[in-house]
Every structure is written in C-alpha cells, then in structure tokens.
C-alpha cells in the first residue's frame, strides 16, 4: 500500500509523465474498442460508423478533461500571464474557434448525421465521421448524374458550415429525381412523340412505381411540401441556335438512374427515327 501511494505521489509530482501515461492508456483502450466494433467485416455499416465516431469523440473528450484537471493550476497561471495578448491568440486561432463553433452549430441544428448524404458548396458525399474540428465524407459524383462513390475521402473543416449552406440529400440514397436532356437538331415537331415516349418510360418503371409512389408520399409528409410526383415529366424547349431540347425527369431508385436514362435515350432515338426517317437520296 505504501509503495502504491509512493507511485501516486511520484506521478502527481511529475505531471508530464502522468499526462503521457493517461494519454497512452486512453489511446490503447480506444484502439481495442475500435477493433472490437469494426470486427472482421470488409465494409462498415452505418451503426458501426456511429459507434466508432462516438468512441473517438468520447476518448478525445476524456483526454482533454483529464489533461485539464492535471494541469489546472498551470493553465490558470498561464491564462493570467497571457491576458495582455489574448486578442492576438484569438486572431491566430480564429479558424480553430470557427471549426469548434461550427461543430456546435451542426449538433444544435441536427443538419445531418453519420450515414447521411450531404452537399456543402460543390462537394457532396456520405458522412462517415464527424468530430469537433472536421467532418469526413466519401465523395459521391452527383454533378454528372452518376450517384456513385468516387473513392475519394474528403475532410471538411467545420468552419465551412458558416460559409456554405449544408444540403441534406439523405432521401436520395434510395430514390432520386433524375433529370437529363436530349438535344435534337432541326425543328421537327416532337410533341406527337411524347405519348409514346411516356408509355415507354412507364413500362420501364413498372417494377418499382408502387414503391416510388409510397416513398414520394413519405418524403412529401416529412418535408411538408408538394413535390413533383413519381410520374415522368417531359417538356420541350428551344436552343439559341435552333435545336430543340427534350427535358426528362423521372423518379426512380438511385442505383437504376443511369441505366434507365440510357434505356429512355435509346427509346427516344428509335421513336424519332421511325417518325422522321432520313431521306438518304436527298442527302446525297
């Protein structure tokens, strides 16, 4: 017992060694906990990511609190000694303060959580981790209408939440309003082709249209707005050089969006070819 008290007294007197031991023990425990949560699976589930994020954030908080308690007297003396240069410290640490307050803003507004799809500025992806300083996402290629992971991991400083609007795209993980355009040279009358094209789109949508209607209704109730609906939407506009542009929007499963677009493009090309056959002799 006396030896144990001597060890405790020695550690209290040598705060640097005590701090090192505390940090080492907590990091070892965190590593063991993360290994247990991850297991041997190749891909992490959303629940595993949530618990891993909680473990990392919790261990970081314990380290900060423990080190503060160990060095409390020294910190108090240091704070009094740097009062004169407090403004300089704030200016120098402005970005860190913005990251910390951005984390508070994210938590208070509940704008997103792990597993959600978000868009910040021109960056979009699935949230895989967030902490006091930054948010980590797996990039998703939304700008080219592909809806697939690019394999890039992006770390966003939380200060960005004060500069850019955070768009929560979580409902797009299952179903998406997929829009694309088909440019038609010349000025042929395309309106008689629309009923046939609409029936083709409805045929491609038979396997999921009932689920799409229910999911669209759930999104409308959750958002409290009247969305375009699950039916295909087609309209025609004209380009500045005389060409016609066929705009198509469908509500479909996200993983099928690109495949359905290709099928609809092929259907329209066949319909257009039969309606306006090329006169080869005249072109020669």
């Amino acid at each position: 017992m006396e030896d144990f008290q001597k060890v405790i007294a020695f550690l209290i007197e040598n705060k640097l060694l005590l701090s090192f031991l505390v940090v080492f023990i907590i990091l070892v425990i965190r590593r063991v906990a993360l290994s247990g949560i991850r297991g041997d699976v190749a891909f992490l589930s959303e629940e595993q990511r949530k618990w891993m994020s909680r473990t990392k954030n919790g261990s970081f908080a314990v380290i900060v609190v423990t080190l503060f308690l160990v060095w409390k007297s020294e910190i108090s003396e240091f704070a009094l000694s740097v009062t004169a240069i407090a403004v300089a410290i704030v200016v120098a640490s402005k970005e860190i303060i913005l990251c910390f307050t951005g984390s508070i803003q994210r938590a208070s507004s509940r704008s997103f959580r792990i597993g959600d799809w978000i868009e910040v500025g021109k960056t979009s992806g699935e949230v895989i981790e967030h902490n006091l300083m930054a948010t980590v996402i797996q990039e998703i290629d939304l700008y080219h209408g592909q809806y697939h992971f690019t394999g890039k991991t992006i770390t966003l400083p939380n200060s960005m939440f004060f500069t850019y609007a955070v768009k929560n795209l979580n409902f797009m993980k299952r179903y998406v309003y997929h829009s694309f355009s088909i440019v038609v040279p010349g000025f042929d009358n395309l309106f008689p082709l629309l009923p046939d094209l609409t029936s083709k789109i409805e045929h491609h949508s038979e396997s999921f249209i009932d689920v799409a209607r229910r999911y669209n209704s759930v999104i409308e109730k959750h958002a409290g707005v009247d969305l375009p609906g699950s039916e295909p939407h087609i309209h025609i506009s004209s380009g500045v050089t005389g060409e016609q542009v066929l705009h198509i929007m469908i509500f479909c499963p996200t993983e099928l969006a690109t495949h359905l677009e290709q099928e609809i493009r092929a259907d329209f090309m066949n319909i257009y070819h039969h309606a306006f056959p090329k006169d080869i002799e005249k072109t020669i």
Side-chain angles (χ1 to χ4, degrees):
M1 189 65 180
E2 293 181 0
D3 294 336
F4 178 75
Q5 291 177 349
K6 290 180 180 179
V7 172
I8 297 297
F10 175 78
L11 291 176
I12 293 175
E13 292 177 359
N14 296 271
K15 293 184 178 182
L16 187 61
L17 178 60
L18 177 60
S19 301
F20 174 78
L21 289 177
V22 168
V23 173
F24 177 76
I25 292 172
I26 293 175
L27 291 179
V28 169
I29 294 174
R30 187 184 77 162
R31 185 178 183 86
V32 172
L34 291 176
S35 299
I37 295 172
R38 182 180 182 89
D40 297 327
V41 296
F43 301 100
L44 294 174
S45 64
E46 288 187 16
E47 193 66 22
Q48 286 176 308
R49 288 175 177 170
K50 289 178 182 178
W51 278 107
M52 290 178 72
S53 179
R54 291 167 186 166
T55 302
K56 292 178 181 178
N57 293 336
S59 60
F60 177 76
V62 171
I63 290 175
V64 171
V65 172
T66 305
L67 293 179
F68 176 80
L69 294 176
V70 172
W71 297 92
K72 182 171 61 175
S73 59
E74 286 78 4
I75 292 174
S76 300
E77 294 176 0
F78 176 77
L80 291 175
S81 64
V82 299
T83 302
I85 57 172
V87 175
I89 293 177
V90 170
V91 172
S93 59
K94 181 183 70 173
E95 195 67 25
I96 296 177
I97 295 173
L98 285 175
C99 289
F100 180 72
T101 52
S103 176
I104 296 176
Q105 186 269 343
R106 176 201 59 78
S108 60
S109 63
R110 298 181 180 179
S111 53
F112 61 86
R113 60 182 182 178
I114 291 177
D116 287 355
W117 285 15
I118 64 171
E119 182 179 355
V120 183
K122 294 185 177 181
T123 304
S124 56
E126 180 175 332
V127 180
I128 60 174
E129 184 180 347
H130 56 70
N131 51 50
L132 293 176
M133 293 292 107
T135 298
V136 183
I137 64 173
Q138 286 284 352
E139 187 182 39
I140 299 173
D141 186 15
L142 295 184
Y143 282 94
H144 298 93
Q146 300 297 319
Y147 312 104
H148 64 258
F149 291 100
T150 64
K152 300 177 182 177
T153 301
I154 302 177
T155 301
L156 305 175
N158 290 336
S159 58
M160 291 183 64
F161 302 151
F162 292 107
T163 308
Y164 301 99
V166 180
K167 300 179 183 179
N168 193 311
L169 313 175
N170 198 40
F171 80 93
M172 293 176 60
K173 291 180 67 175
R174 291 189 59 194
Y175 279 78
V176 65
Y177 285 104
H178 183 63
S179 301
F180 59 96
S181 301
I182 302 176
V183 179
V184 181
F187 210 77
D188 298 319
N189 184 9
L190 302 180
F191 285 95
L193 311 183
L194 299 189
D196 195 8
L197 180 61
T198 301
S199 64
K200 293 283 187 182
I201 297 175
E202 291 175 348
H203 173 71
H204 294 312
S205 306
E206 287 179 351
S207 60
F208 60 81
I209 189 63
D210 292 334
V211 179
R213 292 194 182 103
R214 291 196 298 268
Y215 192 71
N216 184 266
S217 177
V218 170
I219 296 174
E220 287 183 333
K221 291 179 181 178
H222 183 268
V225 295
D226 185 17
L227 297 176
S230 56
E231 293 73 22
H233 295 76
I234 306 174
H235 70 277
I236 300 173
S237 64
S238 299
V240 293
T241 56
E243 73 277 5
Q244 295 187 91
V245 183
L246 188 70
H247 304 275
I248 303 173
M249 184 178 72
I250 57 176
F251 187 68
C252 63
T254 304
E255 66 273 10
L256 297 178
T258 305
H259 175 70
L260 290 173
E261 176 184 339
Q262 297 303 311
E263 289 189 336
I264 295 170
R265 286 181 182 274
D267 290 335
F268 176 77
M269 290 178 183
N270 290 329
I271 296 171
Y272 181 81
H273 176 73
H274 287 91
F276 305 101
K278 299 295 182 182
D279 192 340
I280 300 177
E281 295 182 357
K282 290 183 178 180
T283 58
I284 295 176

